Amino acid sequence: MRRNPQDGGRLRPVDLARAHGLSTQAVRNYEAAGILPGAERTPHGYRTYTPRHAQALRAFLALVPGHGQRTATSVMQAINRDATEDALRLIDESHAQLLDDRHTLRAVEAALRDLEPVPPERGDTFVGPLARRLGLRPATLRKWERAGVVQPRRDPRTGYRVYRAADVRDARLAHQLRRGGYRLEQIAPLIAQVRAAGGVVPLASMLADWRARLSARSRAMLTGAAALDAYLECRPAPPGNEPTERSSGSTR
């Protein structure tokens, strides 16, 4: 049974702000962005909020750590325009991305376990075919080269970049690490160490940190789900879905 979202009195913007360590301007910005339902106004033009607004703010702030600011914003906007199915689809997509990130982590770990020296004569390719194989633009591989992530040699006759098997391996590893959220300036020295040492020990701490961040994000999604469910429960029923009393035969 739905609770009355207006129960519990009126709240000022400062009441919502103080409860979450925010500024009153942040609360007003969240309302303007559609993250909070629209506030009523007093005869003097002051905003007044209700416990429903407080629950909306709690839900949004709980969603951000697991889903990110953009998705959390889109979810709340959808709910506040009575497009709950759209909001749930966004949540599902975010969970799917987390699962995909876990698959990526496992792929990186498997790739590193199988990392072996490769003969320099094998696996030569050029920037275009390698970019297509990885689903990247050639410009991205050139950017990685400037950052020191990959080190293709140049054909002495044509000047074209030639990626040997070891370069392809480095590019694949960099691509997976980028999907894991790591910046080029973090990836370049690690691949350089792997390249120099011929092993994967330098990446062990990064992989452990990656696993920890995925687990923290998964837990944050659970917290966000609970807060979002509480907000959905306290919202008024959509028009046309209000409970009706059985007719008692009275014409009044």
Side-chain angles (χ1 to χ4, degrees):
M1 180 177 179
R2 290 181 178 270
R3 298 185 296 275
N4 186 340
Q6 307 300 332
D7 287 346
R10 302 287 174 168
L11 301 169
R12 301 168 299 169
V14 69
D15 297 324
L16 268 66
R18 286 174 178 169
H20 298 283
L22 301 172
S23 67
T24 53
Q25 185 59 51
V27 172
R28 288 192 287 266
N29 290 343
Y30 287 154
E31 181 193 346
I35 293 168
L36 304 182
E40 294 182 2
R41 300 278 186 148
T42 68
H44 298 288
Y46 294 111
R47 290 177 173 85
T48 61
Y49 296 112
T50 69
R52 178 162 69 95
H53 293 88
Q55 188 64 61
L57 183 56
R58 282 193 291 272
F60 171 71
L61 295 177
L63 287 169
V64 169
H67 299 275
Q69 182 96 8
R70 179 180 298 180
T71 297
T73 297
S74 297
V75 166
M76 297 304 296
Q77 290 170 338
I79 289 174
N80 290 330
R81 65 172 184 268
D82 291 324
T84 303
E85 288 299 317
D86 290 344
L88 296 178
R89 175 183 52 78
L90 290 168
I91 294 289
D92 291 343
E93 289 175 353
S94 193
H95 279 280
Q97 182 60 58
L98 176 61
L99 182 59
D100 188 57
D101 290 344
R102 289 192 182 279
H103 290 324
T104 299
L105 173 57
R106 285 198 292 270
V108 170
E109 291 172 328
L112 293 177
R113 283 194 301 269
D114 297 336
L115 191 63
E116 296 177 354
V118 292
E121 299 82 9
R122 294 174 49 200
D124 288 0
T125 188
F126 298 102
V127 64
L130 179 57
R132 287 192 294 273
R133 192 185 309 176
L134 298 178
L136 302 171
R137 295 180 302 158
T140 299
L141 287 174
R142 297 187 188 103
K143 180 179 179 181
W144 290 2
E145 181 182 351
R146 291 192 296 271
V149 172
V150 291
Q151 298 179 344
R153 66 180 178 86
R154 294 279 186 155
D155 184 286
R157 292 183 299 104
T158 64
Y160 292 157
R161 294 170 174 83
V162 179
Y163 292 82
R164 296 160 295 183
D167 300 317
V168 172
R169 177 205 64 199
D170 293 344
R172 286 184 178 277
L173 183 56
H175 184 42
Q176 291 168 327
L177 291 171
R178 286 288 287 159
R179 289 183 62 192
Y182 290 92
R183 302 186 302 274
L184 290 180
E185 55 266 33
Q186 295 173 300
I187 295 171
L190 288 165
I191 289 186
Q193 291 179 52
V194 170
R195 191 183 295 129
V200 299
V201 174
L203 288 179
S205 61
M206 175 179 276
L207 294 176
D209 174 66
W210 189 353
R211 281 193 298 272
R213 288 191 293 112
L214 290 179
S215 295
R217 185 172 153 204
S218 185
R219 288 290 301 273
M221 284 182 171
L222 293 177
T223 301
L228 183 63
D229 185 64
Y231 178 52
L232 289 170
E233 282 295 313
C234 80
R235 294 178 67 249
N241 288 349
E242 297 87 350
T244 57
E245 296 183 0
R246 291 182 179 274
S247 174
S248 60
S250 172
T251 59
R252 291 186 299 170

